[in-house]
Amino acid sequence: MEDRTITPSISLPSSSSLPAPEEDKSVLQIWGGSSLQGQVKISGAKNSALVLMAGALLCPDDCRLHNVPSLMDVARMGEILLSLGVKLERHGDTLEINASHIGQSKAPYELVSQLRASFFIIGPMLARLGVARVPLPGGCAIGARPVDLHVQGLRALGADVHIEHGTVHAYVRNGKRLKGAKIYLDCPSVGATETLMMAATLAEGETVIDNAAQEPEVIDLANFCRAMGARIRGAGTNTIVISGVPSLHTTEYTLIPDRIEAGTFLVAGAITHSELSLYPVIPDHLTAVIAKLQAIGAQVITEAPSRLRIVPGRYHTATDIETLPYPGFPTDMQAQFMALLTLSEGDSVITETVFENRLRHVAELNRMGADIRVKGNHAIVRGVPKLSGAPVVATDLRASAALVLAALAADGMTTIQGLHHLDRGYDNLELKLKQVGARVNRIIDNPDAASDASTPTLSPSTLH
Ligand code: UD1
C-alpha cells in the first residue's frame, strides 16, 4: 500500500474533505437477495485506534501503531493531534506518532465537536503538560453522553477542573504531577476508565479505579501503555491498579481486531443465509454475540484460533437481547442484531440500557417492512417473512450498518443516505461486501439524494 502522511491537507481519508453531514448527498445502493461467500479480513479496532492515538500523547518519543483502520474517525483524531503540534505519518496500516513537542494545551472546538472520543485526550495531556483545555464534546445522536465521570476522576487525581464557555479547563495543583487516588466510577464508562487510566500512568503513587470498564479496548490501551513502560494491572477486570511512573518510552504496538466489525459480518452471514469466514478475530471478544447467534439457530465455528465461520440456520427464531457493559451484549451490536431479528420467526424483545436514544433505526427498518414497536428503551420485534428495499436514512454509525444488513436480505433495491455515519467507523465496508458477492454501489454526490433516494440510477448488472 502507498505511503501516506497525515497532515491537515493530505490526510487519508481526510475528514476535511468530508462534506458536512447536511451536504452529504452520497447514497449507497444495495440490491438484496444475493447469497454471500468467501472470507472477510477484519480491520483493527476503531475504538482501540482512537484511544491509543490519545495515549501516544503520554510518550515524549516515537510510537508506532500497527493495524490501524482507515476510517474518518481516525483521520479526525489525527487532525486533533496535529492541531496540538504532534507529528503524524501513516504508512499503510501503520501510524507513526511523535508527541515529543506538544505546542498547544487547547484542543480546537471544531474538531472535538465532531468526535466524542477526542475528549479522551484530556487525561494524557494533563498528565504530560500539567494543563489541558478541551471543549465539551456535546451530545450526539445516541444520547446526551456526559463527561462528569471523567471530570470527577481527574479532580480525585488532584486536578483543578472547571468548565467555562463550553470548555473543560484542567490544571494540576501544586506542581507538575497528578497524585494517585482511589476512584469509584458510578457506572463502568469505557471513556472515563480510559481517560483516568492514562492520566494515572504518570501520576505520583498508586491509583485504583473501581467499577472500571472491562472492554477489550481498555485492555488494549493498558497493554499499549505497559509497552511504553507504564505499570498497570487488572485491566479487563472491574478493578484496575496503576502505579505511576515518571515517564514513558518509545514503543511499537499492534491493535486488536475490531470485534464490532467482526460481529457485523457474522450478522451479514446469518441474515443472508450465507457462510462467511472471518479473520483475524479474537473469538473471546465475541462471546455474547456468538451466544445470541446460536440462540436463534445459527452456528459459529472456530476454524482456527483467530478465524470464525458463520454457518446460518435454515430458519432463525426470535431471542431477547439486553445491551450491557462488556462482557454483556454490546450496545454497538444492538442495531445490527435488530435487523437480523426482523426476519427471525417469533417475537424478540430488545432492551437498550447503555444509551438512552439508540433505537432511531426502528423507523427506518419499519420502512423496509419490519414490524417493530418501541416502548421506552424496549423494542418489540415481530419477525416478518421478508423485507423490501426502500429509501432509508442512516441515523448513527451502527444504525447505518443495520440498514446495510437489512438491505442485503431485502427484496429489490435499498438506497441508504447519511453515509457520513457509516464512513466514521467501517473500513472499506463496500469493498469487503463486494468481495464476498454483495451487490453494492455508492453514488457520490447523488443530486437526487435529498429528495428521492429511491430512484435507481444504475442497473444491478453494472455493479461489479
Ligand atoms: C465507548 C465506545 C462506544 C460504545 C460505548 C459503550 C469509544 C470511542 N466509544 O463510548 O463505541 O458504544 O463505549 O460500550 O470507545 N456516562 C456518564 N458519564 C460519563 C461517561 C459516561 O453518565 O462521564 C454514561 C454515558 O452517557 C452512557 C454510559 O455511561 O450512558 C456508557 O458510556 P461510555 O462507556 O462512557 O461510552 P463512551 O466511552 O463514550
Side-chain angles (χ1 to χ4, degrees):
M1 212 184 269
E2 69 182 296
D3 283 1
R4 320 159 183 177
T5 302
I6 294 193
T7 70
S9 54
I10 48 165
S11 55
L12 230 190
S14 163
S15 69
S16 48
S17 64
L18 187 74
E22 66 280 6
E23 293 163 9
D24 178 10
K25 296 240 169 67
S26 302
V27 297
L28 206 58
Q29 298 178 316
I30 299 180
W31 281 262
S34 303
S35 72
L36 311 181
Q37 194 184 14
Q39 56 176 4
V40 180
K41 185 172 181 313
I42 301 301
S43 300
K46 169 180 85 76
N47 289 348
S48 281
L50 298 176
V51 73
L52 268 64
M53 288 170 77
L57 291 171
L58 290 164
C59 178
D61 225 327
D62 284 324
C63 286
R64 192 169 288 167
L65 298 177
H66 301 293
N67 202 26
V68 177
S70 184
L71 303 171
M72 291 313 309
D73 273 6
V74 167
R76 285 192 173 124
M77 191 62 153
E79 288 188 2
I80 288 167
L81 296 188
L82 286 163
S83 76
L84 302 175
V86 172
K87 291 192 188 125
L88 248 81
E89 277 189 32
R90 182 161 187 142
H91 304 281
D93 71 357
T94 296
L95 198 57
E96 288 175 3
I97 306 176
N98 183 302
S100 54
H101 172 73
I102 303 178
Q104 265 289 344
S105 63
K106 180 163 187 202
Y109 170 74
E110 314 76 67
L111 297 177
V112 175
S113 60
Q114 293 181 49
L115 177 66
R116 177 181 163 83
S118 62
F119 184 79
F120 307 171
I121 62 175
I122 196 166
M125 276 178 67
L126 189 60
R128 253 305 277 294
L129 304 177
V131 52
R133 289 171 295 154
V134 185
L136 285 165
C140 73
I142 61 174
R145 301 179 87 175
V147 290
D148 53 321
L149 300 175
H150 303 240
V151 169
Q152 283 164 21
L154 292 175
R155 284 190 178 132
L157 291 171
D160 270 329
V161 188
H162 65 272
I163 300 170
E164 221 172 67
H165 305 300
T167 294
V168 180
H169 299 250
Y171 305 90
V172 178
R173 268 182 242 136
N174 310 326
K176 284 214 169 231
R177 279 182 83 185
L178 293 164
K179 278 211 169 5
K182 195 161 165 53
I183 299 168
Y184 169 78
L185 297 179
D186 282 342
C187 74
S189 155
V190 174
T193 302
E194 293 171 340
T195 296
L196 301 174
M197 188 162 77
M198 290 187 280
T201 54
L202 296 179
E204 241 173 64
E206 187 175 272
T207 298
V208 180
I209 307 175
D210 269 324
N211 200 26
Q214 302 175 49
E215 268 69 2
E217 295 76 18
V218 172
I219 307 178
D220 218 22
L221 174 64
N223 288 339
F224 170 59
C225 291
R226 278 211 294 255
M228 294 190 291
R231 291 173 57 207
I232 301 172
R233 55 183 203 279
T237 74
N238 60 7
T239 303
I240 302 178
V241 181
I242 304 117
S243 303
V245 295
S247 64
L248 300 180
H249 55 71
T250 180
T251 195
E252 276 193 46
Y253 189 82
T254 301
L255 275 58
I256 55 171
D258 196 308
R259 63 194 165 99
I260 305 302
E261 187 196 9
T264 303
F265 276 102
L266 288 176
V267 174
I271 202 168
T272 59
H273 291 275
S274 308
E275 286 197 20
L276 289 177
S277 179
L278 317 182
Y279 77 100
V281 291
I282 300 178
D284 279 354
H285 293 172
L286 287 153
T287 303
V289 171
I290 291 171
K292 286 298 170 186
L293 285 165
Q294 286 167 340
I296 68 164
Q299 282 183 65
V300 180
I301 298 166
T302 306
E303 295 183 308
S306 60
R307 184 183 282 271
L308 286 177
R309 173 177 288 273
I310 170 85
V311 181
R314 201 147 165 236
Y315 303 101
H316 295 141
T317 52
T319 191
D320 293 342
I321 285 178
E322 184 172 345
T323 63
L324 288 167
Y326 191 86
F329 190 91
T331 176
D332 286 351
M333 280 300 300
Q334 177 257 108
Q336 302 90 313
F337 231 86
M338 187 184 291
L340 177 58
L341 292 175
T342 63
L343 291 170
S344 301
E345 208 177 301
D347 292 354
S348 305
V349 179
I350 298 179
T351 306
E352 173 59 56
T353 73
V354 180
F355 291 112
E356 67 273 20
N357 194 16
R358 211 175 195 180
L359 293 170
R360 297 202 308 160
H361 39 281
V362 166
E364 300 304 302
L365 290 171
N366 281 346
R367 301 190 72 224
M368 298 178 70
D371 181 353
I372 312 169
R373 280 168 301 137
V374 175
K375 279 204 162 177
N377 65 335
H378 305 287
I380 298 112
V381 184
R382 180 155 293 172
V384 293
K386 72 177 181 84
L387 297 175
S388 56
V392 288
V393 179
T395 49
D396 66 61
L397 167 57
R398 304 305 169 184
S400 62
L403 295 176
V404 169
L405 294 168
L408 290 171
D411 276 357
M413 188 187 76
T414 297
T415 43
I416 305 175
Q417 288 187 45
L419 299 184
H420 54 281
H421 292 298
L422 192 68
D423 295 335
R424 280 188 43 214
Y426 284 93
D427 184 352
N428 273 309
L429 182 68
E430 287 138 69
L431 181 67
K432 290 181 186 187
L433 283 172
K434 280 182 187 170
Q435 282 169 345
V436 291
R439 294 186 295 163
V440 182
N441 181 52
R442 181 182 291 233
I443 301 181
I444 309 283
D445 220 7
N446 179 25
D448 299 327
S451 51
D452 181 8
S454 65
T455 315
T457 51
L458 281 181
S459 71
S461 57
T462 61
L463 286 179
H464 289 285

